[in-house]
Amino acid sequence: MLPFADADWQNLSVLPAQSVEHGEVFTRRWVVDLILDLLAYTADKDLCDVRLVEPACGTGAFLAAVAARISASCRRQKRPIGDAITAVSALDLLDRNVQQCRAVVAEQLTGDGWQPDEAKEVAAAWVKQGDYLLRPESAQRADYVVGNPPYIRLEDVPHDRMAAYRSVCSTMGGRADIYVGFYEVAMRSLAPDGQLGFICADRWMRNQYGRQLRQLVTSRYSMDLALVMHDVDAFDDQVSAYPAITVISNRLQGSAVAADATRSFGATQADDFAAWYVKSEPKSVSTEAYQAARMPHWFPDEDSWPAASPARLAVLEDLTERFGLLEDGKTGTRVGIGIATGADKVFVTNDADLVESDRLLPMAMVRDTTTGTLDWHGTFLVNPWTTHGNLVDLSAYPRLAGHFEKHGAALRKRYVAVKQPQRWYKTIDKVDPRLTRRPKLLLPDMKLTIHPVLDEGGLYPHHNLYFIVSDVWDMRVLGGLLLSKVAEAFVEAYAVKMRGGTLRFQAQYLRKIRVPDPASISESDQAALAGAFDKRDVKAATEAALRVYRLAELPD
């Protein structure tokens, strides 16, 4: 791993699994061997003629394995070890780590029968002191980049160095961790068809701070493998950094493998997995120690990459390839959220006589959707908007004016009112009068399972409800499709999970759902979906959806 300097890293708050002083965590040898095998960095090749970079070598966990393979390669090729003097470039910021790494390499090479002077010369050439993120790009060109980059919060880095990192690493936005920069610099350094193999925290695949890194991967590189190892004993110390092995290539996106290892995954199982990975068949494998599935492509969206079992990820990728998004201009299908008022105590009421009747807009609330059939409890929006999208003239509505003035102090303190004092009685969102009349599916924000409810037209949704409208879809047919476990699988893979397994059915996740062309659904399947929706029969909806999506099953 790559720490900074002794003085800089005193009193840092880092993961418990890392060294207290330097944020270091060391990788087990069998994990290193697995990564090298996955990259096909093997002794049967002439490893003197390729260049491997280790950006944060620490005390030599990766270099010992690399040295052993280069040594064996030289024996096979009948080349002196001196021919490998430019085959490796390893860096660390701490001088003591540099010295230890050189000793590890020299010991490995002399143990393999090379002369001590030669071994020391090669080790000194391989391992240098320096900052990988700040080296000139020309000095880092590589056929392979391997390692376990540091997992340290960027805000814990000394200010000057943090500024320097941000200036050279465009992906290190927001509260990014240092490893994000290591991914970026490593990928940019790869020669054509070069490969990166890291074991690192996988939070960047889903968190906001990883978005720019995901965009870089999807736009220019091939995401070849994501092997999730959260429960695997992969490090010398106990670690809680949600590690995964990722393999990324400098080429157009090709086939990709999603895999998940269990607690029983060890050296033997790693060998088995690597042997399966380098073959083209079978497309999936499931053992007690790991599950894996081979997909034609990786997911193209940089917003977030899904999290699910490998088999389910393969199905989702297949559906992503074959079907269009739920929100679609061709069908006029749109996903939105209900109105945010900024002061529900003022703008939301159950008093039908509170203000002038035409200033009360019937409103759908989450509690109205509980049974699966819309059951309005008499809630209204106190509506300050005209049908043309302007604020009403309060002088024309004395009761409305009186109500707002009664709460004037609170309304005027809101940010929207401070920003526009003359519009102090506006809601945060405007009212779209057309939405009230339209048939729409309503979905509560937080729910254990997907829960579409049909409003035939007449209510305006509150901001805790998301809605779907369409110019083409029969809303009962679409409702049946969304009620199915197939649609829920998309949300489950992308959405933030709350305590107790509650899902967030927000617009950004609903928009991930893939759906067929409505015209392609047979009349019998349309009837089956609509009937299942009316009866709230998830099983029947799922069975019909599987036929519509042309799936044999939906794996767990």
Side-chain angles (χ1 to χ4, degrees):
M1 297 296 292
L2 181 143
F4 287 144
D6 288 329
D8 291 336
W9 290 105
Q10 299 297 327
N11 304 317
L12 276 187
S13 173
V14 295
L15 288 177
Q18 297 173 323
S19 159
V20 174
E21 281 189 272
H22 305 296
E24 297 174 296
V25 54
F26 303 111
T27 313
R28 293 189 183 279
R29 176 60 180 265
W30 68 264
V31 177
V32 175
D33 284 329
L34 170 59
I35 293 173
L36 296 176
D37 288 344
L38 294 171
L39 298 176
Y41 188 86
T42 49
D44 59 320
K45 296 180 178 179
D46 191 345
L47 298 181
C48 290
D49 293 337
V50 294
R51 189 163 188 258
L52 179 144
V53 172
E54 217 283 63
C57 58
T59 56
F62 277 81
L63 289 182
V66 169
R69 293 185 183 219
I70 289 178
S71 176
S73 172
C74 286
R75 297 294 188 195
R76 287 176 179 237
Q77 302 294 328
K78 295 181 170 46
R79 298 182 67 167
I81 194 64
D83 283 2
I85 202 162
T86 61
V88 174
S89 176
L91 290 174
D92 200 279
L93 274 175
L94 282 185
D95 179 67
R96 70 164 180 265
N97 281 355
V98 171
Q99 298 307 320
Q100 184 169 346
C101 279
R102 288 174 175 174
V104 166
V105 171
E107 182 180 358
Q108 178 67 53
L109 295 179
T110 54
D112 289 340
W114 302 102
Q115 291 299 314
D117 288 347
E118 289 181 305
K120 288 181 180 179
E121 182 181 4
V122 169
W126 283 4
V127 187
K128 304 289 186 182
Q129 188 171 8
D131 190 329
Y132 178 71
L133 297 186
L134 300 181
R135 292 189 85 201
E137 186 172 321
S138 60
Q140 303 186 162
R141 301 301 295 172
D143 299 292
Y144 302 92
V145 183
V146 301
N148 176 9
Y151 187 13
I152 300 168
R153 300 182 193 282
L154 193 54
E155 59 263 33
D156 289 332
V157 177
H159 179 75
D160 290 347
R161 196 176 291 265
M162 177 180 68
Y165 286 170
R166 288 192 189 275
S167 70
V168 297
C169 300
S170 61
T171 60
M172 293 180 72
R175 297 169 61 85
D177 289 85
I178 283 179
Y179 70 76
V180 169
F182 277 74
Y183 269 99
E184 177 182 346
V185 174
M187 286 190 293
R188 294 190 188 280
S189 75
L190 292 175
D193 295 318
Q195 294 178 285
L196 171 156
F198 279 170
I199 181 167
C200 189
D202 67 356
R203 302 297 87 182
W204 69 275
M205 299 185 195
R206 281 164 282 281
N207 283 356
Q208 179 62 30
Y209 69 65
R211 181 172 183 176
Q212 293 180 77
L213 180 56
R214 293 191 297 271
Q215 185 177 36
L216 179 63
V217 173
T218 56
S219 64
R220 292 184 49 186
Y221 300 91
S222 177
M223 184 74 176
D224 296 339
L225 168 68
L227 170 58
V228 177
M229 301 176 69
H230 292 180
D231 297 324
V232 176
D233 189 14
F235 304 103
D236 287 339
D237 298 311
Q238 290 297 311
V239 68
S240 56
Y242 303 103
I245 290 175
T246 49
V247 174
I248 300 172
S249 297
N250 184 14
R251 59 181 174 84
L252 294 176
Q253 179 66 57
S255 64
V257 168
D260 197 348
T262 69
R263 192 178 301 275
S264 60
F265 192 78
T268 301
Q269 294 79 12
D271 288 342
D272 292 342
F273 175 78
W276 172 85
Y277 177 78
V278 299
K279 299 175 183 176
S280 58
E281 296 292 341
K283 288 188 176 181
S284 63
V285 61
S286 180
T287 72
E288 182 181 345
Y290 62 89
Q291 295 181 334
R294 207 180 306 272
M295 306 179 294
H297 305 283
W298 190 251
F299 296 87
D301 194 346
E302 71 273 6
D303 284 347
S304 179
W305 288 339
S309 71
R312 179 164 287 193
L313 283 178
V315 168
L316 295 179
E317 196 278 338
D318 172 59
L319 296 178
T320 298
E321 184 82 6
R322 292 193 289 120
F323 296 98
L325 292 166
L326 171 63
E327 190 168 71
D328 183 5
K330 293 180 181 178
T331 62
T333 305
R334 180 168 63 91
V335 181
I337 186 173
I339 188 169
T341 69
D344 278 1
K345 291 182 179 179
V346 180
F347 289 103
V348 179
T349 183
N350 289 93
D351 184 354
D353 296 317
L354 181 67
V355 297
E356 289 83 358
S357 61
D358 64 335
R359 291 296 91 210
L360 292 175
L361 183 63
M363 174 176 275
M365 307 294 287
V366 169
R367 64 176 176 269
D368 301 329
T369 66
T370 302
T371 65
T373 300
L374 195 61
D375 180 19
W376 185 50
H377 285 66
T379 305
F380 296 92
L381 173 71
V382 180
N383 184 12
W385 300 99
T386 70
T387 56
H388 301 293
N390 301 314
L391 284 172
V392 298
D393 181 356
L394 290 181
S395 66
Y397 293 95
R399 292 168 63 192
L400 180 67
H403 174 67
F404 285 157
E405 285 293 354
K406 180 181 177 181
H407 301 280
L411 291 177
R412 288 182 172 90
K413 288 180 182 177
R414 297 175 304 150
Y415 174 76
V416 293
V418 172
K419 189 176 180 182
Q420 296 179 298
Q422 74 281 9
R423 295 162 64 85
W424 61 273
Y425 56 97
K426 71 187 291 287
T427 53
I428 292 176
D429 299 326
K430 280 188 177 182
V431 168
D432 178 0
R434 297 168 298 176
L435 182 59
T436 303
R437 299 187 296 270
R438 295 193 70 174
K440 51 194 166 290
L441 293 170
L442 303 175
L443 294 100
D445 178 1
M446 294 187 289
K447 204 79 175 174
L448 286 171
T449 58
I450 196 164
H451 190 73
V453 176
L454 179 60
D455 172 18
E456 296 278 9
L459 299 179
Y460 204 89
H462 184 254
H463 68 85
N464 285 334
L465 288 170
Y466 290 84
F467 66 84
I468 300 170
V469 293
S470 178
D471 296 335
V472 174
W473 278 97
D474 178 319
M475 301 308 286
R476 292 168 59 242
V477 174
L478 181 58
L481 205 62
L482 294 179
L483 186 67
S484 74
K485 290 296 181 182
V486 182
E488 184 177 277
F490 281 95
V491 178
E492 191 173 31
Y494 286 100
V496 174
K497 293 179 178 64
M498 311 297 286
R499 184 174 298 177
T502 298
L503 292 170
R504 301 297 301 274
F505 291 92
Q506 297 173 316
Q508 67 200 58
Y509 307 129
L510 295 171
R511 291 186 181 116
K512 301 289 187 184
I513 297 173
R514 297 279 171 161
V515 295
D517 181 344
S520 70
I521 304 176
S522 68
E523 289 186 7
S524 60
D525 284 335
Q526 288 188 45
L529 288 168
F533 178 70
D534 292 340
K535 297 175 183 176
R536 311 302 296 178
D537 189 336
V538 175
K539 181 180 179 182
T542 301
E543 290 172 353
L546 289 173
R547 292 195 299 271
V548 168
Y549 284 109
R550 302 192 297 278
L551 294 175
E553 62 175 351
L554 181 66
D556 293 331

